[in-house]
mmCIF file of all heavy atoms in Angstrom:
data_model
loop_
_atom_site.group_PDB
_atom_site.id
_atom_site.type_symbol
_atom_site.label_atom_id
_atom_site.label_comp_id
_atom_site.label_asym_id
_atom_site.label_seq_id
_atom_site.Cartn_x
_atom_site.Cartn_y
_atom_site.Cartn_z
ATOM 1 N N HIS A 37 15.728 -19.953 -0.104
ATOM 2 C CA HIS A 37 14.635 -20.742 0.478
ATOM 3 C C HIS A 37 14.030 -19.909 1.623
ATOM 4 O O HIS A 37 14.773 -19.210 2.326
ATOM 5 C CB HIS A 37 15.158 -22.075 1.022
ATOM 6 C CG HIS A 37 15.950 -22.854 0.000
ATOM 7 N ND1 HIS A 37 15.382 -23.343 -1.156
ATOM 8 C CD2 HIS A 37 17.260 -23.214 -0.040
ATOM 9 C CE1 HIS A 37 16.308 -23.975 -1.868
ATOM 10 N NE2 HIS A 37 17.455 -23.914 -1.217
ATOM 11 N N VAL A 38 12.712 -20.043 1.826
ATOM 12 C CA VAL A 38 12.064 -19.097 2.747
ATOM 13 C C VAL A 38 11.149 -19.781 3.763
ATOM 14 O O VAL A 38 10.276 -20.575 3.402
ATOM 15 C CB VAL A 38 11.228 -18.044 1.964
ATOM 16 C CG1 VAL A 38 10.664 -17.002 2.928
ATOM 17 C CG2 VAL A 38 12.053 -17.348 0.885
ATOM 18 N N ALA A 39 11.338 -19.430 5.034
ATOM 19 C CA ALA A 39 10.376 -19.782 6.077
ATOM 20 C C ALA A 39 9.454 -18.581 6.278
ATOM 21 O O ALA A 39 9.918 -17.464 6.546
ATOM 22 C CB ALA A 39 11.096 -20.123 7.373
ATOM 23 N N ILE A 40 8.161 -18.850 6.136
ATOM 24 C CA ILE A 40 7.138 -17.803 6.208
ATOM 25 C C ILE A 40 6.520 -17.867 7.598
ATOM 26 O O ILE A 40 5.833 -18.836 7.943
ATOM 27 C CB ILE A 40 6.078 -18.057 5.111
ATOM 28 C CG1 ILE A 40 6.737 -17.922 3.725
ATOM 29 C CG2 ILE A 40 4.860 -17.166 5.247
ATOM 30 C CD1 ILE A 40 6.517 -19.094 2.825
ATOM 31 N N VAL A 41 6.790 -16.853 8.387
ATOM 32 C CA VAL A 41 6.408 -16.880 9.804
ATOM 33 C C VAL A 41 5.301 -15.857 10.020
ATOM 34 O O VAL A 41 5.489 -14.669 9.746
ATOM 35 C CB VAL A 41 7.653 -16.551 10.671
ATOM 36 C CG1 VAL A 41 7.266 -16.360 12.134
ATOM 37 C CG2 VAL A 41 8.700 -17.656 10.514
ATOM 38 N N ASP A 42 4.161 -16.321 10.521
ATOM 39 C CA ASP A 42 3.035 -15.393 10.669
ATOM 40 C C ASP A 42 2.010 -15.977 11.633
ATOM 41 O O ASP A 42 2.004 -17.192 11.888
ATOM 42 C CB ASP A 42 2.374 -15.124 9.283
ATOM 43 C CG ASP A 42 1.730 -13.744 9.211
ATOM 44 O OD1 ASP A 42 0.830 -13.465 10.022
ATOM 45 O OD2 ASP A 42 2.133 -12.946 8.360
ATOM 46 N N VAL A 43 1.127 -15.124 12.136
ATOM 47 C CA VAL A 43 0.005 -15.608 12.955
ATOM 48 C C VAL A 43 -1.168 -16.041 12.088
ATOM 49 O O VAL A 43 -2.107 -16.641 12.593
ATOM 50 C CB VAL A 43 -0.500 -14.557 13.978
ATOM 51 C CG1 VAL A 43 0.369 -14.503 15.203
ATOM 52 C CG2 VAL A 43 -0.653 -13.183 13.339
ATOM 53 N N VAL A 44 -1.138 -15.693 10.816
ATOM 54 C CA VAL A 44 -2.202 -16.150 9.909
ATOM 55 C C VAL A 44 -1.606 -17.077 8.846
ATOM 56 O O VAL A 44 -0.391 -17.160 8.682
ATOM 57 C CB VAL A 44 -2.973 -14.970 9.252
ATOM 58 C CG1 VAL A 44 -3.616 -14.087 10.316
ATOM 59 C CG2 VAL A 44 -2.073 -14.146 8.341
ATOM 60 N N ASP A 45 -2.497 -17.732 8.127
ATOM 61 C CA ASP A 45 -2.102 -18.758 7.171
ATOM 62 C C ASP A 45 -1.159 -18.223 6.071
ATOM 63 O O ASP A 45 -1.464 -17.216 5.425
ATOM 64 C CB ASP A 45 -3.382 -19.331 6.543
ATOM 65 C CG ASP A 45 -3.074 -20.436 5.576
ATOM 66 O OD1 ASP A 45 -2.385 -21.383 5.979
ATOM 67 O OD2 ASP A 45 -3.495 -20.323 4.405
ATOM 68 N N GLY A 46 -0.058 -18.921 5.877
ATOM 69 C CA GLY A 46 0.943 -18.453 4.912
ATOM 70 C C GLY A 46 0.968 -19.227 3.609
ATOM 71 O O GLY A 46 1.929 -19.125 2.845
ATOM 72 N N LYS A 47 -0.122 -19.996 3.334
ATOM 73 C CA LYS A 47 -0.133 -20.883 2.142
ATOM 74 C C LYS A 47 0.082 -20.123 0.830
ATOM 75 O O LYS A 47 0.779 -20.594 -0.070
ATOM 76 C CB LYS A 47 -1.471 -21.623 2.071
ATOM 77 C CG LYS A 47 -1.471 -22.942 2.824
ATOM 78 C CD LYS A 47 -2.670 -23.804 2.374
ATOM 79 C CE LYS A 47 -3.198 -24.637 3.523
ATOM 80 N NZ LYS A 47 -4.223 -23.934 4.343
ATOM 81 N N ALA A 48 -0.525 -18.949 0.714
ATOM 82 C CA ALA A 48 -0.397 -18.195 -0.553
ATOM 83 C C ALA A 48 1.064 -17.840 -0.803
ATOM 84 O O ALA A 48 1.548 -17.917 -1.937
ATOM 85 C CB ALA A 48 -1.260 -16.933 -0.494
ATOM 86 N N THR A 49 1.766 -17.486 0.260
ATOM 87 C CA THR A 49 3.184 -17.130 0.094
ATOM 88 C C THR A 49 4.014 -18.377 -0.202
ATOM 89 O O THR A 49 4.962 -18.315 -1.000
ATOM 90 C CB THR A 49 3.703 -16.407 1.356
ATOM 91 O OG1 THR A 49 2.761 -15.407 1.738
ATOM 92 C CG2 THR A 49 5.049 -15.752 1.109
ATOM 93 N N VAL A 50 3.651 -19.504 0.419
ATOM 94 C CA VAL A 50 4.348 -20.769 0.119
ATOM 95 C C VAL A 50 4.285 -21.034 -1.382
ATOM 96 O O VAL A 50 5.294 -21.366 -2.017
ATOM 97 C CB VAL A 50 3.716 -21.952 0.908
ATOM 98 C CG1 VAL A 50 4.203 -23.295 0.378
ATOM 99 C CG2 VAL A 50 4.039 -21.827 2.395
ATOM 100 N N LYS A 51 3.102 -20.843 -1.960
ATOM 101 C CA LYS A 51 2.930 -21.089 -3.403
ATOM 102 C C LYS A 51 3.850 -20.187 -4.222
ATOM 103 O O LYS A 51 4.429 -20.610 -5.219
ATOM 104 C CB LYS A 51 1.471 -20.836 -3.819
ATOM 105 C CG LYS A 51 0.583 -22.020 -3.518
ATOM 106 C CD LYS A 51 -0.773 -21.866 -4.185
ATOM 107 C CE LYS A 51 -1.692 -22.969 -3.713
ATOM 108 N NZ LYS A 51 -3.088 -22.583 -3.688
ATOM 109 N N MET A 52 3.975 -18.935 -3.814
ATOM 110 C CA MET A 52 4.833 -17.981 -4.558
ATOM 111 C C MET A 52 6.291 -18.409 -4.499
ATOM 112 O O MET A 52 7.014 -18.346 -5.491
ATOM 113 C CB MET A 52 4.725 -16.577 -3.943
ATOM 114 C CG MET A 52 3.411 -15.908 -4.175
ATOM 115 S SD MET A 52 3.396 -14.321 -3.302
ATOM 116 C CE MET A 52 1.771 -13.756 -3.735
ATOM 117 N N VAL A 53 6.730 -18.842 -3.311
ATOM 118 C CA VAL A 53 8.137 -19.250 -3.146
ATOM 119 C C VAL A 53 8.395 -20.515 -3.965
ATOM 120 O O VAL A 53 9.408 -20.614 -4.675
ATOM 121 C CB VAL A 53 8.455 -19.465 -1.644
ATOM 122 C CG1 VAL A 53 9.831 -20.101 -1.457
ATOM 123 C CG2 VAL A 53 8.377 -18.134 -0.890
ATOM 124 N N GLU A 54 7.448 -21.456 -3.904
ATOM 125 C CA GLU A 54 7.634 -22.705 -4.655
ATOM 126 C C GLU A 54 7.579 -22.453 -6.171
ATOM 127 O O GLU A 54 8.294 -23.100 -6.929
ATOM 128 C CB GLU A 54 6.602 -23.737 -4.204
ATOM 129 C CG GLU A 54 6.925 -24.243 -2.791
ATOM 130 C CD GLU A 54 5.909 -25.229 -2.230
ATOM 131 O OE1 GLU A 54 4.806 -25.380 -2.800
ATOM 132 O OE2 GLU A 54 6.231 -25.845 -1.183
ATOM 133 N N ALA A 55 6.753 -21.500 -6.579
ATOM 134 C CA ALA A 55 6.683 -21.169 -8.014
ATOM 135 C C ALA A 55 8.021 -20.640 -8.512
ATOM 136 O O ALA A 55 8.338 -20.753 -9.699
ATOM 137 C CB ALA A 55 5.579 -20.141 -8.260
ATOM 138 N N ALA A 56 8.789 -20.059 -7.607
ATOM 139 C CA ALA A 56 10.125 -19.555 -7.979
ATOM 140 C C ALA A 56 11.178 -20.672 -7.895
ATOM 141 O O ALA A 56 12.371 -20.406 -8.070
ATOM 142 C CB ALA A 56 10.512 -18.385 -7.075
ATOM 143 N N GLY A 57 10.725 -21.892 -7.572
ATOM 144 C CA GLY A 57 11.651 -23.034 -7.551
ATOM 145 C C GLY A 57 12.435 -23.177 -6.259
ATOM 146 O O GLY A 57 13.428 -23.902 -6.203
ATOM 147 N N ARG A 58 11.995 -22.521 -5.214
ATOM 148 C CA ARG A 58 12.686 -22.582 -3.916
ATOM 149 C C ARG A 58 11.837 -23.339 -2.910
ATOM 150 O O ARG A 58 10.635 -23.491 -3.081
ATOM 151 C CB ARG A 58 12.954 -21.167 -3.378
ATOM 152 C CG ARG A 58 13.794 -20.312 -4.274
ATOM 153 C CD ARG A 58 15.239 -20.750 -4.311
ATOM 154 N NE ARG A 58 15.546 -21.555 -5.464
ATOM 155 C CZ ARG A 58 16.681 -22.221 -5.649
ATOM 156 N NH1 ARG A 58 17.616 -22.200 -4.734
ATOM 157 N NH2 ARG A 58 16.884 -22.930 -6.733
ATOM 158 N N GLN A 59 12.468 -23.802 -1.837
ATOM 159 C CA GLN A 59 11.719 -24.494 -0.784
ATOM 160 C C GLN A 59 11.061 -23.475 0.146
ATOM 161 O O GLN A 59 11.649 -22.429 0.427
ATOM 162 C CB GLN A 59 12.663 -25.363 0.035
ATOM 163 C CG GLN A 59 13.246 -26.539 -0.731
ATOM 164 C CD GLN A 59 14.313 -27.240 0.094
ATOM 165 O OE1 GLN A 59 14.114 -27.509 1.271
ATOM 166 N NE2 GLN A 59 15.440 -27.523 -0.531
ATOM 167 N N ALA A 60 9.872 -23.851 0.640
ATOM 168 C CA ALA A 60 9.135 -22.952 1.535
ATOM 169 C C ALA A 60 8.596 -23.728 2.725
ATOM 170 O O ALA A 60 8.298 -24.917 2.622
ATOM 171 C CB ALA A 60 7.979 -22.316 0.776
ATOM 172 N N LEU A 61 8.489 -23.040 3.839
ATOM 173 C CA LEU A 61 7.868 -23.618 5.029
ATOM 174 C C LEU A 61 7.052 -22.511 5.689
ATOM 175 O O LEU A 61 7.586 -21.432 5.966
ATOM 176 C CB LEU A 61 8.956 -24.098 6.014
ATOM 177 C CG LEU A 61 8.476 -24.575 7.382
ATOM 178 C CD1 LEU A 61 7.762 -25.928 7.269
ATOM 179 C CD2 LEU A 61 9.646 -24.693 8.362
ATOM 180 N N ALA A 62 5.767 -22.785 5.928
ATOM 181 C CA ALA A 62 4.948 -21.801 6.650
ATOM 182 C C ALA A 62 4.865 -22.233 8.106
ATOM 183 O O ALA A 62 4.542 -23.389 8.399
ATOM 184 C CB ALA A 62 3.554 -21.725 6.041
ATOM 185 N N VAL A 63 5.174 -21.333 9.005
ATOM 186 C CA VAL A 63 5.114 -21.644 10.434
ATOM 187 C C VAL A 63 4.204 -20.641 11.121
ATOM 188 O O VAL A 63 4.391 -19.428 10.975
ATOM 189 C CB VAL A 63 6.518 -21.577 11.098
ATOM 190 C CG1 VAL A 63 6.442 -22.082 12.537
ATOM 191 C CG2 VAL A 63 7.540 -22.373 10.311
ATOM 192 N N ASN A 64 3.236 -21.172 11.874
ATOM 193 C CA ASN A 64 2.370 -20.297 12.644
ATOM 194 C C ASN A 64 3.107 -19.889 13.915
ATOM 195 O O ASN A 64 3.515 -20.743 14.692
ATOM 196 C CB ASN A 64 1.060 -21.018 12.975
ATOM 197 C CG ASN A 64 0.054 -20.040 13.519
ATOM 198 O OD1 ASN A 64 0.138 -19.622 14.669
ATOM 199 N ND2 ASN A 64 -0.877 -19.635 12.684
ATOM 200 N N CYS A 65 3.299 -18.604 14.099
ATOM 201 C CA CYS A 65 4.097 -18.134 15.242
ATOM 202 C C CYS A 65 3.695 -16.707 15.589
ATOM 203 O O CYS A 65 3.549 -15.866 14.706
ATOM 204 C CB CYS A 65 5.581 -18.187 14.849
ATOM 205 S SG CYS A 65 6.696 -17.308 15.956
ATOM 206 N N ASP A 66 3.532 -16.470 16.880
ATOM 207 C CA ASP A 66 3.323 -15.112 17.375
ATOM 208 C C ASP A 66 4.689 -14.584 17.814
ATOM 209 O O ASP A 66 5.253 -15.046 18.807
ATOM 210 C CB ASP A 66 2.348 -15.149 18.559
ATOM 211 C CG ASP A 66 2.178 -13.791 19.211
ATOM 212 O OD1 ASP A 66 2.867 -12.830 18.808
ATOM 213 O OD2 ASP A 66 1.353 -13.700 20.141
ATOM 214 N N VAL A 67 5.220 -13.621 17.060
ATOM 215 C CA VAL A 67 6.594 -13.167 17.324
ATOM 216 C C VAL A 67 6.747 -12.481 18.682
ATOM 217 O O VAL A 67 7.866 -12.322 19.165
ATOM 218 C CB VAL A 67 7.126 -12.231 16.207
ATOM 219 C CG1 VAL A 67 7.189 -12.954 14.873
ATOM 220 C CG2 VAL A 67 6.310 -10.940 16.112
ATOM 221 N N SER A 68 5.626 -12.099 19.296
ATOM 222 C CA SER A 68 5.735 -11.434 20.599
ATOM 223 C C SER A 68 5.841 -12.424 21.748
ATOM 224 O O SER A 68 6.013 -12.035 22.903
ATOM 225 C CB SER A 68 4.537 -10.501 20.825
ATOM 226 O OG SER A 68 3.346 -11.256 20.975
ATOM 227 N N SER A 69 5.724 -13.729 21.445
ATOM 228 C CA SER A 69 5.786 -14.761 22.485
ATOM 229 C C SER A 69 7.108 -15.518 22.392
ATOM 230 O O SER A 69 7.416 -16.123 21.356
ATOM 231 C CB SER A 69 4.608 -15.733 22.308
ATOM 232 O OG SER A 69 4.931 -17.010 22.814
ATOM 233 N N GLU A 70 7.858 -15.518 23.482
ATOM 234 C CA GLU A 70 9.158 -16.207 23.471
ATOM 235 C C GLU A 70 8.979 -17.703 23.198
ATOM 236 O O GLU A 70 9.734 -18.295 22.420
ATOM 237 C CB GLU A 70 9.871 -15.982 24.816
ATOM 238 C CG GLU A 70 11.299 -16.469 24.801
ATOM 239 C CD GLU A 70 12.062 -16.106 26.073
ATOM 240 O OE1 GLU A 70 11.434 -15.641 27.048
ATOM 241 O OE2 GLU A 70 13.292 -16.309 26.082
ATOM 242 N N ALA A 71 7.946 -18.305 23.816
ATOM 243 C CA ALA A 71 7.723 -19.749 23.628
ATOM 244 C C ALA A 71 7.381 -20.047 22.171
ATOM 245 O O ALA A 71 7.856 -21.035 21.582
ATOM 246 C CB ALA A 71 6.597 -20.218 24.546
ATOM 247 N N SER A 72 6.562 -19.194 21.567
ATOM 248 C CA SER A 72 6.161 -19.397 20.178
ATOM 249 C C SER A 72 7.370 -19.241 19.243
ATOM 250 O O SER A 72 7.541 -20.027 18.298
ATOM 251 C CB SER A 72 5.063 -18.381 19.836
ATOM 252 O OG SER A 72 4.538 -18.605 18.570
ATOM 253 N N VAL A 73 8.219 -18.274 19.510
ATOM 254 C CA VAL A 73 9.409 -18.068 18.677
ATOM 255 C C VAL A 73 10.387 -19.241 18.834
ATOM 256 O O VAL A 73 10.970 -19.711 17.852
ATOM 257 C CB VAL A 73 10.088 -16.710 19.010
ATOM 258 C CG1 VAL A 73 11.448 -16.588 18.332
ATOM 259 C CG2 VAL A 73 9.175 -15.558 18.589
ATOM 260 N N THR A 74 10.520 -19.739 20.056
ATOM 261 C CA THR A 74 11.422 -20.895 20.284
ATOM 262 C C THR A 74 10.927 -22.115 19.497
ATOM 263 O O THR A 74 11.712 -22.803 18.830
ATOM 264 C CB THR A 74 11.492 -21.226 21.790
ATOM 265 O OG1 THR A 74 11.955 -20.058 22.462
ATOM 266 C CG2 THR A 74 12.443 -22.375 22.075
ATOM 267 N N ALA A 75 9.613 -22.353 19.542
ATOM 268 C CA ALA A 75 9.044 -23.500 18.815
ATOM 269 C C ALA A 75 9.225 -23.305 17.305
ATOM 270 O O ALA A 75 9.570 -24.250 16.569
ATOM 271 C CB ALA A 75 7.564 -23.653 19.166
ATOM 272 N N MET A 76 9.015 -22.086 16.828
ATOM 273 C CA MET A 76 9.184 -21.782 15.394
ATOM 274 C C MET A 76 10.629 -22.036 14.966
ATOM 275 O O MET A 76 10.902 -22.652 13.931
ATOM 276 C CB MET A 76 8.775 -20.325 15.144
ATOM 277 C CG MET A 76 8.985 -19.788 13.752
ATOM 278 S SD MET A 76 10.642 -19.142 13.440
ATOM 279 C CE MET A 76 10.633 -17.629 14.399
ATOM 280 N N ALA A 77 11.573 -21.574 15.784
ATOM 281 C CA ALA A 77 12.998 -21.722 15.432
ATOM 282 C C ALA A 77 13.368 -23.205 15.335
ATOM 283 O O ALA A 77 14.100 -23.608 14.422
ATOM 284 C CB ALA A 77 13.866 -21.006 16.458
ATOM 285 N N THR A 78 12.819 -24.022 16.232
ATOM 286 C CA THR A 78 13.091 -25.461 16.195
ATOM 287 C C THR A 78 12.555 -26.069 14.902
ATOM 288 O O THR A 78 13.225 -26.865 14.232
ATOM 289 C CB THR A 78 12.428 -26.154 17.418
ATOM 290 O OG1 THR A 78 12.926 -25.517 18.592
ATOM 291 C CG2 THR A 78 12.733 -27.638 17.468
ATOM 292 N N GLU A 79 11.337 -25.646 14.521
ATOM 293 C CA GLU A 79 10.728 -26.174 13.297
ATOM 294 C C GLU A 79 11.524 -25.744 12.050
ATOM 295 O O GLU A 79 11.760 -26.558 11.142
ATOM 296 C CB GLU A 79 9.276 -25.674 13.204
ATOM 297 C CG GLU A 79 8.445 -26.460 12.219
ATOM 298 C CD GLU A 79 6.970 -26.028 12.214
ATOM 299 O OE1 GLU A 79 6.481 -25.472 13.220
ATOM 300 O OE2 GLU A 79 6.320 -26.256 11.172
ATOM 301 N N VAL A 80 11.937 -24.505 12.029
ATOM 302 C CA VAL A 80 12.692 -23.995 10.872
ATOM 303 C C VAL A 80 14.053 -24.691 10.763
ATOM 304 O O VAL A 80 14.467 -25.121 9.684
ATOM 305 C CB VAL A 80 12.865 -22.458 10.974
ATOM 306 C CG1 VAL A 80 13.818 -21.938 9.907
ATOM 307 C CG2 VAL A 80 11.511 -21.763 10.849
#
Side-chain angles (χ1 to χ4, degrees):
H37 307 296
V38 185
I40 296 127
V41 171
D42 209 301
V43 280
V44 301
D45 182 54
K47 271 197 213 88
T49 313
V50 167
K51 278 192 188 150
M52 289 176 180
V53 171
E54 289 177 347
R58 301 289 99 190
Q59 293 172 46
L61 173 72
V63 187
N64 192 284
C65 167
D66 175 356
V67 298
S68 68
S69 153
E70 189 173 10
S72 186
V73 170
T74 302
M76 175 275 288
T78 304
E79 197 175 336
V80 171

